Amino acid sequence: MVMGPTCGMVLADLGAEVIKIEPVEGDRTRHLLGAGAGFFPMFNRNKKSIGLDLRSAAGAQAARRLADSADIVLENFRPGTMAKYGLDYASISARNPRVIYVSHKGFLPGPYEHRTALDEVVQMMGGLAYMTGRRGDPVRAGSSVNDIMGGMFGAIGALAALIERRVTGRGQEVQSALFENNVFLVGQHMLQYAITGEAAAPMPDRISAWALYDVFTVKDGEQIFLAAVSDAQWTTFCDALGFDDLKRAPHLATNNDRVRARPTLLADLRERLRGYCAAELASIFERHGLPFAPIVKPEELFDDPHLRATGGLADIVLPDGERAGQVAQTTLFPLTLGGRRLGVRLQPPPLGRDTGPLLESVGYRPPEIDALRRQRAIA
């Protein structure tokens, strides 16, 4: 629902022709509610859509002909699913040895590979939920981090395989998996334990590497994150706020001294800062080059002045649901090439928008396409 589509979106944003093969009834994410409502329009821009019934011989044959014409084939199914339709790597590469085949799974091959995985599953078993929540209260991260990053790693692997194919003339299989992605994310905490012998505490209870590195509740109950992550920044902070006594205190002279004194120091700072409003502190920190952040909700980012000024949001036409045909804004891939953002070339497609032209491109004649429609093998 997210990992494979993310991989395709990355390649599509970078300029590839990406064909999304959907069931004839449409991708399930077109009609999800709640937290899934944005999945389809978010991860399926810049793609073409073809609706195929892989369970029918004719639909599976059409998919195989498309795959035989492709540089890259992406899939995001349980192990063994693609082999049933002759769409696994072994089958496609036998006909198309230059194909690069990207499999997105819950787990890389091994004892867990046949388990059903979700982002939340691997966050729980991979240490991320433990690190995000408080002790005894594991909490998943507030985004589909493993699905999205797993798709990105799939795209990175595909790009590397394309470069290698220029040398060898052959494609290869690339595998990306949720669990291994999650383990990569918590690798810093694993190494902390390996190096120090001390287990990493959940983030709400962690021993911070810096004394001033926290969320502060200030005037009128507003909140703001403030930080000083070097001795020079600490000095700047004290000068900016007029805290000469803290600057001169011998027991706060170095970063590690301040970390040891963190409980009492933070209590002192919370009392000193509570009379400031968040905007005032933001202005002071920005003026002096210190790290800070307002506490922002996702829906407030539509009005973020930086995103609006830099073209970080783009209009899309919603393809499904009650708001089909209406315009909304989406976030773009977070990089520039040649100084420009990668925009929306193709709107998120209605189901089967490109079925006819795509089938014609691999040799189907219009009467054959009409016959497939009558058989409900295509949409």
Side-chain angles (χ1 to χ4, degrees):
M1 290 186 283
V2 174
M3 183 161 58
T6 296
C7 182
M9 183 198 71
V10 170
L11 297 175
D13 279 11
L14 291 171
E17 179 193 30
V18 175
I19 299 165
K20 181 177 182 66
I21 297 179
E22 304 186 51
V24 291
E25 63 272 16
D27 188 306
R28 287 179 298 165
T29 63
R30 288 183 178 275
H31 306 292
L32 291 178
L33 302 177
F39 283 2
F40 191 88
M42 172 71 194
F43 300 112
N44 291 287
R45 62 171 178 253
N46 291 333
K47 300 179 185 179
K48 298 178 178 179
S49 169
I50 181 170
L52 298 178
D53 181 3
L54 296 183
R55 295 163 296 186
S56 73
Q61 174 63 17
R64 288 192 291 270
R65 287 172 67 168
L66 284 168
D68 290 346
S69 73
D71 287 295
I72 301 170
V73 174
L74 317 175
E75 64 92 8
N76 191 183
F77 290 97
R78 288 177 61 110
T81 300
M82 298 298 277
K84 294 189 297 185
Y85 308 115
L87 290 167
D88 56 309
Y89 175 64
S91 299
I92 295 175
S93 63
R95 303 185 302 268
N96 179 8
R98 290 176 56 81
V99 73
I100 292 159
Y101 191 94
V102 186
S103 290
H104 297 87
K105 303 298 185 190
F107 307 89
L108 293 181
Y112 298 160
E113 66 181 294
H114 296 293
R115 292 187 185 181
T116 300
L118 300 167
D119 207 313
E120 197 140 345
V121 167
V122 299
Q123 288 194 38
M124 295 293 172
M125 67 184 292
L128 185 58
Y130 171 81
M131 289 302 301
T132 304
R134 293 177 173 81
R135 293 183 190 275
D137 184 24
V139 177
R140 68 158 286 167
S143 178
S144 304
V145 289
N146 291 298
D147 279 308
I148 293 169
M149 287 186 63
M152 291 172 62
F153 281 124
I156 291 169
L159 295 174
L162 281 171
I163 294 171
E164 185 169 335
R165 191 179 72 177
R166 293 177 62 183
V167 177
T168 66
R170 293 190 61 85
Q172 61 183 289
E173 184 174 13
V174 175
Q175 294 185 328
S176 177
L178 293 174
F179 178 63
E180 281 75 9
N181 183 89
N182 188 95
V183 173
F184 184 78
L185 285 174
V186 300
Q188 65 193 84
H189 305 307
M190 296 167 66
L191 275 172
Q192 175 187 334
Y193 177 74
I195 291 168
T196 68
E198 296 182 7
M203 294 300 280
D205 299 332
R206 72 193 184 279
I207 300 173
S208 176
W210 305 282
L212 178 55
Y213 195 84
D214 215 326
V215 174
F216 292 82
T217 300
V218 293
K219 191 174 181 179
D220 298 326
E222 293 181 305
Q223 290 188 308
I224 186 170
F225 172 82
L226 304 173
V229 296
S230 69
D231 291 338
Q233 287 188 1
W234 170 254
T235 298
T236 299
F237 166 74
C238 291
D239 288 341
L241 275 299
F243 297 158
D244 290 340
D245 57 325
L246 298 181
K247 177 181 174 181
R248 294 193 304 267
H251 71 291
L252 302 177
T254 70
N255 179 72
N256 286 350
D257 290 333
R258 294 189 293 276
V259 170
R260 295 185 187 98
R262 193 170 192 266
T264 55
L265 176 58
L266 277 182
D268 184 14
L269 289 175
R270 293 190 195 285
E271 187 62 32
R272 294 177 186 233
L273 296 174
R274 68 191 310 175
Y276 291 85
C277 66
E280 185 179 4
L281 287 169
S283 177
I284 292 170
F285 270 60
E286 185 165 16
R287 190 163 62 250
H288 290 86
L290 294 170
F292 74 97
I295 310 304
V296 175
K297 299 174 183 176
E299 64 270 20
E300 295 170 339
L301 290 171
F302 287 114
D303 298 316
D304 182 273
H306 180 83
L307 291 175
R308 299 190 72 83
T310 59
L313 302 172
D315 289 344
I316 57 168
V317 178
L318 300 175
D320 303 289
E322 295 180 356
R323 293 192 59 197
Q326 296 183 29
V327 174
Q329 287 197 309
T330 190
T331 55
L332 294 180
F333 198 51
L335 55 74
T336 63
L337 289 177
R340 62 182 179 84
R341 294 298 290 264
L342 307 177
V344 177
R345 294 178 291 109
L346 296 173
Q347 295 296 332
L351 171 63
R353 180 185 64 189
D354 308 289
T355 296
L358 287 171
L359 290 180
E360 288 184 15
S361 74
V362 291
Y364 283 86
R365 293 178 291 109
E368 293 177 296
I369 295 172
D370 290 339
L372 291 174
R373 284 204 174 94
R374 288 194 298 271
Q375 297 169 33
R376 291 286 297 159
I378 64 174

